[in-house]
Amino acid sequence: MAEKRKVNILAILPIVIFAALVAAFFIPGLGRDDPKNIPSTRVGSPAPALFVGEDQAAGTGFNDKTLRSPGIKMVNFWASWCGPCRAEHPNLMKLAEGGLRIYGVNYKDRPEDAARFLAGLGDPFTAILSDTKGRNGIEWGVTGVPESMLIDSNGVILWHFRGPITQSIIDKQMQPILDANK
């Protein structure tokens, strides 16, 4: 009889372990309120140095000095192959039309594809830096595109958002920062 009980316990042990793993994966962010809201270690720190690659066309792009110029500006990592980048694009256009300087970092993309994307949808960017190898993305802590940061006059990152900028994000997260830094 004892041998039969031992077999039954061994038979259900994989099921119990699987159920425990499933439960662990469904705990939101393993303790965070919103698993999509990954805190950025860059907020409050100076923007990392920018790498300008050899594929950058002469007279284009921007540099560290640009990011330390007066006023709030946005750095937006994007790509023509990125669906969420296409979804956020109308909101970037509105922000640019409203006077926000947006500096684009074209991430792991071919320059000709980026040019075609902007020709079709409009160009919200004050300047664009080509990051075909993703080096700037690594330095800036980018985990995927789109990602955006607001930078102050001292080159300090005030806000970092992963994902497409929606009107709700503009109203609830960006606008208070923009208003506080006028």
Side-chain angles (χ1 to χ4, degrees), residues 4-16:
K4 187 175 183 181
R5 182 177 292 160
K6 189 176 187 180
V7 171
N8 288 339
I9 291 172
L10 289 177
I12 64 167
L13 188 59
I15 296 168
V16 171

Side-chain angles (χ1 to χ4, degrees), residues 98-160:
L100 180 63
R101 289 175 292 150
I102 304 173
Y103 294 93
V105 180
N106 185 235
Y107 183 73
K108 293 186 175 181
D109 202 358
R110 295 183 341 191
E112 59 272 18
D113 292 341
R116 201 170 16 261
F117 178 93
L118 295 175
L121 297 176
D123 187 351
F125 301 115
T126 303
I128 298 173
L129 190 66
S130 182
D131 189 20
T132 57
K133 293 186 171 65
R135 185 169 173 186
N136 284 304
I138 291 168
E139 294 298 319
W140 282 66
V142 170
T143 58
V145 288
E147 284 195 33
S148 300
M149 296 90 173
L150 289 177
I151 315 262
D152 72 7
S153 299
N154 298 312
V156 173
I157 298 173
L158 301 175
W159 176 80
H160 182 175

Side-chain angles (χ1 to χ4, degrees), residues 13-179:
L13 188 59
I15 296 168
V16 171
I17 292 171
F18 178 74
L21 287 173
V22 168
F25 285 117
F26 282 101
I27 297 171
L30 297 176
R32 288 191 302 269
D33 293 335
D34 181 359
K36 294 178 185 173
N37 186 15
I38 302 168
S40 174
T41 59
R42 299 282 186 201
V43 173
S45 300
L50 288 162
F51 173 76
V52 180
E54 56 279 349
D55 61 336
Q56 187 72 38
T60 64
F62 55 97
N63 57 32
D64 299 322
K65 185 178 177 184
T66 308
L67 298 182
R68 283 150 183 80
S69 63
I72 299 294
K73 72 263 330 148
M74 176 190 276
V75 173
N76 175 261
F77 284 80
W78 68 282
S80 66
W81 46 261
C82 165
C85 298
R86 184 173 293 275
E88 85 170 349
H89 200 80
N91 290 313
L92 295 182
M93 293 296 290
K94 283 188 230 172
L95 287 166
E97 289 164 6
L100 180 63
R101 289 175 292 150
I102 304 173
Y103 294 93
V105 180
N106 185 235
Y107 183 73
K108 293 186 175 181
D109 202 358
R110 295 183 341 191
E112 59 272 18
D113 292 341
R116 201 170 16 261
F117 178 93
L118 295 175
L121 297 176
D123 187 351
F125 301 115
T126 303
I128 298 173
L129 190 66
S130 182
D131 189 20
T132 57
K133 293 186 171 65
R135 185 169 173 186
N136 284 304
I138 291 168
E139 294 298 319
W140 282 66
V142 170
T143 58
V145 288
E147 284 195 33
S148 300
M149 296 90 173
L150 289 177
I151 315 262
D152 72 7
S153 299
N154 298 312
V156 173
I157 298 173
L158 301 175
W159 176 80
H160 182 175
F161 184 76
R162 293 175 172 95
I165 302 291
T166 63
Q167 189 60 51
S168 176
I169 297 299
I170 293 168
D171 295 342
K172 294 177 182 173
Q173 294 185 33
M174 290 180 68
Q175 200 58 54
I177 295 168
L178 294 170
D179 291 344

